[in-house]
Amino acid sequence: MTRPAKDFFAPLAVGAPAPLREIPARPSRAIHFFDPGNEKMAAKVPDMVGTVDVLLGNLEDAVKAENKEKSRQGLVDIGKSTDFGPTQFWTRINSLDSPWVLDDLTTLVPEIGDKLDVIMVPKVQGAEDIHYVDRLLAQLEARAGLTKPLQVHAILETARGVANIEEICAASPRMQGLSLGPADLAADRRMKTTRVGGGHPGYLVRQDPARDDLGVPQYDAQRTTYQQDLWHYTIARMVDACAMHGIYPYYGPFGDIKDTVACEDQFRNAFLLGCVGAWSLHPVQITIANKVFSPSVEDVAHARRVIAAMGDGTGAVMIDGKMEDDASVKQCRVMVALADALAAIDPELKEQYDRIEVADV
Ligand SMILES: CC(=O)SCCNC(=O)CCNC(=O)[C@H](O)C(C)(C)COP(=O)(O)OP(=O)(O)OC[C@H]1O[C@@H](n2cnc3c(N)ncnc32)[C@H](O)[C@@H]1OP(=O)(O)O
Ligand SMILES: O=CC(=O)O
Ligand SMILES: [Mg+2]
């Protein structure tokens, strides 16, 4: 059950920092995963600061059981020794039923709780999981004397989690966002796939058969097929639930590292539907996410033009043969607000957006 409105923003432990009233809209186009126990990856982290919006030290799946303690300690060392500047610092803890998660939280909060921005919780099933983490974090924050509350991000990777999506988003003022976890979700749903995110050639629709002069369908004639997106339904649910609760939706992992083209397509579908970012599993995917989740110069130019033409934002105007009104100007404001936020942290993008001529507007 969700707490009554009057108690929703009350700290859950004496001495814990006051919960945030609003989740900050910090750019997070790529959430870049690294294993803090892998020396080669860990060594790259300081140089990645400033090149990616979020660096996430992963402690869960993809870290071998015998390396869990090493990765946790590696994360503590990186957290203490790194100045993250404009880059956010997140972690993915082990699942709540695992033998490692209690030590993850009781170690990370006192050691590097002041450096961490967001704790990603995997395999969240319902509000009860968030309530557990919420209270424990409050106790640990109070004991550590933290002044800034940690935010919580849930991965949607079970059928029950998807069914309970709204209550998960509403479970705590710490809730920062949701990510799609397509690999675990596929397994939990008993989908017949063996991939980490992305499409499947068997999930398609086929063009109707052509008909001969007598109207008889030619079933054996060549017919075009169109591959469909396995994740459309779940992403759309995530976007609505997150928008309703003032938190942020993300595409999760795309496992075919070499298929940069299909990765870009999946990320772009998510961007167009309302997601703010995606996971990056390999440095090559940072570039893709940064590109896709930044509005194009053309879209920003058009949006600025509509906003300028619409004056106080009411009424209707014609631009290039198209009707624009209150509803389209609101979409344009979303686009420009994102462009402004990105320009503030990304000098290359700022230069591109600044180059849009006043004449274009
Ligand atoms: C379903 C889920 O839960 S998804 C989330 C969990 N999975 C992960 O976090 C996976 C993270 N990524 C990885 O483990 C690796 O990128 C792999 C296994 C996919 C590929 O690793 P490799 O085969 O070593 O890739 P590759 O040879 O292209 O690496 C090139 C360099 O980039 C480094 N690198 C690879 N991935 C990363 C990364 N995520 N962060 C930083 N550096 C990386 C490698 O260490 C290597 O360094 P080197 O040039 O000093 O030798
Ligand atoms: O954790 C991510 C997933 O796809 O599973
Ligand atoms: Mg998973």
Side-chain angles (χ1 to χ4, degrees):
M1 204 188 88
T2 305
R3 282 178 280 164
K6 71 179 177 49
D7 295 336
F8 191 65
F9 291 102
L12 288 180
V14 174
L20 295 175
R21 296 253 157 189
E22 201 174 321
I23 296 301
R26 292 184 67 183
S28 41
R29 294 165 291 183
I31 303 172
H32 181 72
F33 276 57
F34 66 93
D35 174 357
N38 175 320
E39 284 86 7
K40 276 209 305 192
M41 282 193 203
K44 292 190 167 51
V45 167
D47 287 341
M48 295 178 96
V49 167
T51 68
V52 60
D53 295 341
V54 179
L55 279 164
L56 179 146
N58 175 39
L59 304 181
E60 200 223 10
D61 293 358
V63 174
K64 282 179 87 64
E66 69 249 34
N67 290 340
K68 293 288 185 184
E69 277 84 14
K70 184 179 177 207
S71 289
R72 188 190 301 129
Q73 187 53 48
L75 187 66
V76 168
D77 296 342
I78 288 171
K80 287 190 173 201
S81 61
T82 308
D83 176 358
F84 289 93
T87 297
Q88 295 182 60
F89 181 42
W90 295 22
T91 184
R92 177 169 81 167
I93 55 172
N94 284 288
S95 62
L96 298 180
D97 60 356
S98 76
W100 305 291
V101 67
L102 192 57
D103 287 338
D104 290 344
L105 288 170
T106 56
T107 305
L108 297 178
V109 177
E111 294 278 4
I112 52 170
D114 55 334
K115 289 284 192 78
L116 283 167
D117 293 291
V118 176
I119 295 190
M120 184 182 272
V121 184
K123 301 174 178 68
V124 171
Q125 301 269 23
E128 70 279 10
D129 289 340
I130 302 300
H131 293 160
Y132 167 76
V133 172
D134 198 7
R135 179 79 73 173
L136 182 54
L137 284 178
Q139 292 168 342
L140 294 168
E141 287 168 343
R143 181 182 281 175
L146 297 186
T147 52
K148 177 176 66 97
L150 286 152
Q151 295 168 62
V152 168
H153 180 110
I155 315 179
L156 217 52
E157 48 189 350
T158 66
R160 182 142 78 90
V162 177
N164 291 331
I165 189 166
E166 276 88 7
E167 68 165 50
I168 291 170
C169 293
S172 161
R174 291 183 195 275
M175 281 301 300
Q176 179 275 343
L178 294 179
S179 281
L180 172 73
D184 271 301
L185 184 54
D188 193 65
R189 280 176 172 163
R190 300 194 193 99
M191 289 167 66
K192 305 304 177 292
T193 54
T194 55
R195 301 170 171 214
V196 176
H200 192 289
Y203 193 69
L204 50 80
V205 289
R206 188 176 301 269
Q207 193 181 33
D208 273 11
R211 291 172 186 268
D212 67 12
D213 293 346
L214 299 172
V216 179
Q218 304 296 293
Y219 293 113
D220 294 334
Q222 180 68 32
R223 290 149 74 181
T224 309
T225 58
Y226 303 91
Q227 196 172 317
Q228 306 292 297
D229 188 351
L230 286 168
W231 305 109
H232 177 82
Y233 156 78
T234 316
I235 297 267
R237 280 207 70 177
M238 280 173 46
V239 168
D240 283 344
C242 287
M244 171 178 165
H245 290 283
I247 68 175
Y248 301 101
Y250 298 77
Y251 191 87
F254 187 89
D256 193 343
I257 309 288
K258 298 275 178 232
D259 194 352
T260 52
V261 176
C263 177
E264 182 169 334
D265 292 337
Q266 281 280 290
F267 286 4
R268 183 164 293 105
N269 288 349
F271 172 67
L272 288 171
L273 274 183
C275 288
V276 298
W279 297 6
S280 151
L281 305 183
H282 186 280
V284 75
Q285 293 185 336
I286 296 175
T287 315
I288 301 171
N290 282 354
K291 173 180 164 196
V292 170
F293 289 95
S294 308
S296 70
V297 170
E298 293 73 30
D299 281 345
V300 176
H302 174 75
R304 287 189 190 159
R305 213 170 139 211
V306 173
I307 291 168
M310 279 293 294
D312 73 352
T314 63
V317 294
M318 281 287 271
I319 296 182
D320 299 337
K322 298 196 185 82
M323 190 281 302
E324 309 285 353
D325 71 0
D326 313 47
S328 55
V329 83
K330 283 182 201 151
Q331 294 173 58
C332 292
R333 286 187 189 130
V334 169
M335 188 79 76
V336 169
L338 176 58
D340 289 346
L342 294 174
I345 56 135
D346 187 330
E348 222 172 283
L349 266 183
K350 178 172 163 40
E351 219 247 316
Q352 290 174 29
Y353 294 147
D354 282 353
R355 249 191 276 136
I356 299 170
E357 294 293 332
V358 179
D360 295 337
V361 176

